[in-house]
Amino acid sequence: MADVQVSTALQGTRPAHHADSLSDSLKDATYQADRDFELRQDALAAIDNAKFGWFHVKACLVAGVGFFTDSYDIFAINLCSLIMGYVYYADATGDAANTTPTKIDMWVKGATQLGCIFGQFGFGYLADRLGRKRIYGVELIIIIVCTLGGSFAGMTARGLSVYWVLFIWRFILGVGIGGDYPVSAIITSEFATTKNRGAMIAAVFAMQGFGIVAAAIVAIVVLACFRGAVDGDQLMLDYVWRIIMGLGVVPGLVALYFRLTIPETPRYTLDVEKNTQQAAADVHKTLGHKGADEAADVHKALGLKVAGEAAERVHVADKPTWSEFYHHFKHWRNLRVLVGTTVTWFALDVAFYGINLNSSIILQAIGFAGKGSPYQVLLKTAAGNIILNLLGTMPGYWVTVFTIDKLGRRTIQFIGFTVLLILFCILGFGYHKILDKSVAGFVVLFTLAQFFQNFGPNTTTFIIPAEAFPTRFRSTCHGISAACGKVGAVVAQLGFFQLKDRGGKNAFIPQLIQIFALFMLVGLVFTWFVPETKGKSLEELSEGDDNARQ
């Protein structure tokens, strides 16, 4: 009887004990959730409000060297294709002599743009799905391998000419270059401080200007080294274009180690991997390099009591899905931003690549390249590219770097599209009149257009998608926007070559410039769709989407 009473008593205590245990578990879970939220807020605040220091400079350099390499490779083909005409069509007659045929020139130049479309979309998605760190550097390896491969392109025993072998290499090269766009932009954006984020991303993108000028300078130096050989036998130019192209691997090799060892961005660790302690530890480690006092302050702010605490808990990553992507962008307030970033980038690249990939044709049209020996023509073309870029492109990039966090992204984009619309109308409708009266006047207007492309939408269309979307979709959306831009570049390349000789050699260029003006109007209209991102944290810009998932 006593046993029964004891048993009954024990049974009576179980519900109370179970309730207490459940209550303690809930309290622990609530405490941990609150602590994770505090750590998240402190970690984000530490990133957004950090002093600009060596880590930020390093991040810009590591990403920027990649863009230097990208632009070198993209725009070097403009000169290399010109040189190849003297090698592979030296025996042609009439106007075809020493000139790469229009269709072949079009596909060789367009190959990289086609590859970029796949690289931008693919790497953009993978950076959201797998993480920024896991794929950063892979795109640079592709660039290095394909740049070297292209520089050694030759004819196959049966069927493929050197141009088509080069097309294959440059298509794959484009995949790597395309991958660099979203990943470099997102990594820079997510490590940047709120105050300097625009300048940091713009500085990365501005390295394109150095790459463009470097390609022309290298061409001049290599031509000078081969001058005697080229004057004796123009087929020696076969070495020249290969060396110019192959030297594009040098900056990529320098940056490769640093890309492969860069840490994961804390925002990705927070919002996708769901590892708050690891993100806080990474922030502490990253900012701790600035000095003992500041490191101690960050350490205290993040509440890290145990250095290895991040390893003590199991975290289940919450990877983004296409279903989630659809549910986010089925709302017009979100979709309109993506529509704005894609259409404006598309419109800009139609004109930007239509002109810049064919600058040698523009130089010939204004009489700068002129006639003469292969050495003289090529030297003048390379020098003309340097002059145009130093007068317009480079200043445009760097004026943006120093003003974008004051004027705002949207404001600069409005200014750029508006001025470009006016300039292209003047250049297009007054093309022959201006050239007949003053070549110098034409060059001034043309370099102004170059300036406002870069102090304008060429830079801002790169920056805004790196800021305006939630962390979970940020890289994918940047990749989609950039890919739409490259579709515009392909359209420009195909259209330019199909139309430029209507009515005679280069006779349709004025009309093409008028068409570019129309695309500037489209870009201007759709700029209303994009938000102003100046002075706002990435979390503010994503309208709390990231926070809502915590």
Side-chain angles (χ1 to χ4, degrees), residues 151-323:
S151 67
F152 286 101
M155 297 181 184
T156 60
R158 297 180 185 273
L160 291 178
S161 71
V162 63
Y163 284 102
W164 286 111
V165 173
L166 185 59
F167 172 89
I168 294 169
W169 279 114
R170 290 193 65 82
F171 176 83
I172 304 172
L173 169 71
V175 174
I177 291 175
D180 200 17
Y181 274 68
V183 186
S184 287
I186 299 311
I187 285 178
T188 306
S189 174
E190 292 181 353
F191 273 123
T193 66
T194 301
K195 180 180 178 181
N196 300 310
R197 188 176 61 239
M200 284 181 64
I201 305 173
V204 169
F205 196 63
M207 294 300 289
Q208 277 196 337
F210 288 114
I212 296 169
V213 172
I217 291 174
V218 169
I220 289 175
V221 171
V222 176
L223 279 168
C225 292
F226 278 80
R227 179 174 186 177
V230 170
D231 286 341
D233 180 7
Q234 76 178 51
L235 294 184
M236 294 298 290
L237 285 167
D238 195 39
Y239 292 100
V240 173
W241 76 263
R242 295 178 187 276
I243 294 171
I244 294 171
M245 188 176 291
L247 287 174
V249 305
V250 175
L253 289 170
V254 172
L256 182 58
Y257 168 78
F258 296 101
R259 287 202 171 190
L260 292 173
T261 56
I262 199 166
E264 183 58 85
T265 69
R267 282 185 163 92
Y268 187 86
T269 305
L270 284 168
D271 296 326
V272 179
E273 294 182 346
K274 301 298 182 183
N275 193 335
T276 309
Q277 283 78 15
Q278 183 62 54
D282 288 344
V283 173
H284 163 58
K285 182 179 179 181
T286 300
L287 300 181
H289 292 297
K290 294 184 177 182
D293 292 339
E294 188 172 343
D297 291 341
V298 174
H299 189 281
K300 181 178 179 181
L302 298 180
L304 296 178
K305 298 178 181 179
V306 182
E309 183 178 346
E312 294 178 2
R313 296 173 61 203
V314 176
H315 299 271
V316 179
D318 183 16
K319 302 290 186 179
T321 64
W322 287 114
S323 175

Side-chain angles (χ1 to χ4, degrees), residues 429-473:
F429 290 102
Y431 185 85
H432 293 293
K433 291 182 180 179
I434 296 170
L435 279 177
D436 291 342
K437 289 188 177 182
S438 175
V439 172
F442 185 93
V443 172
V444 169
L445 291 172
F446 188 79
T447 53
L448 278 174
Q450 297 284 76
F451 176 86
F452 281 101
Q453 279 182 328
N454 296 292
F455 177 61
N458 188 42
T459 304
T460 55
T461 53
F462 177 79
I463 294 173
I464 294 172
E467 302 176 306
F469 301 102
T471 301
R472 300 175 60 77
F473 312 125

Side-chain angles (χ1 to χ4, degrees), residues 492-540:
Q493 196 66 10
L494 296 176
F496 195 100
F497 279 101
Q498 292 295 329
L499 297 173
K500 73 182 183 70
D501 293 328
R502 289 186 62 181
K505 187 173 183 179
N506 297 331
F508 204 72
I509 287 180
Q511 288 79 6
L512 285 171
I513 296 175
Q514 294 167 24
I515 293 171
F516 295 158
L518 179 61
F519 278 98
M520 296 304 96
L521 178 61
V522 172
L524 180 62
V525 171
F526 277 87
T527 297
W528 290 102
F529 284 42
V530 301
E532 177 53 72
T533 58
K534 178 187 72 171
K536 297 178 181 178
S537 72
L538 297 179
E539 286 63 42
E540 289 178 284

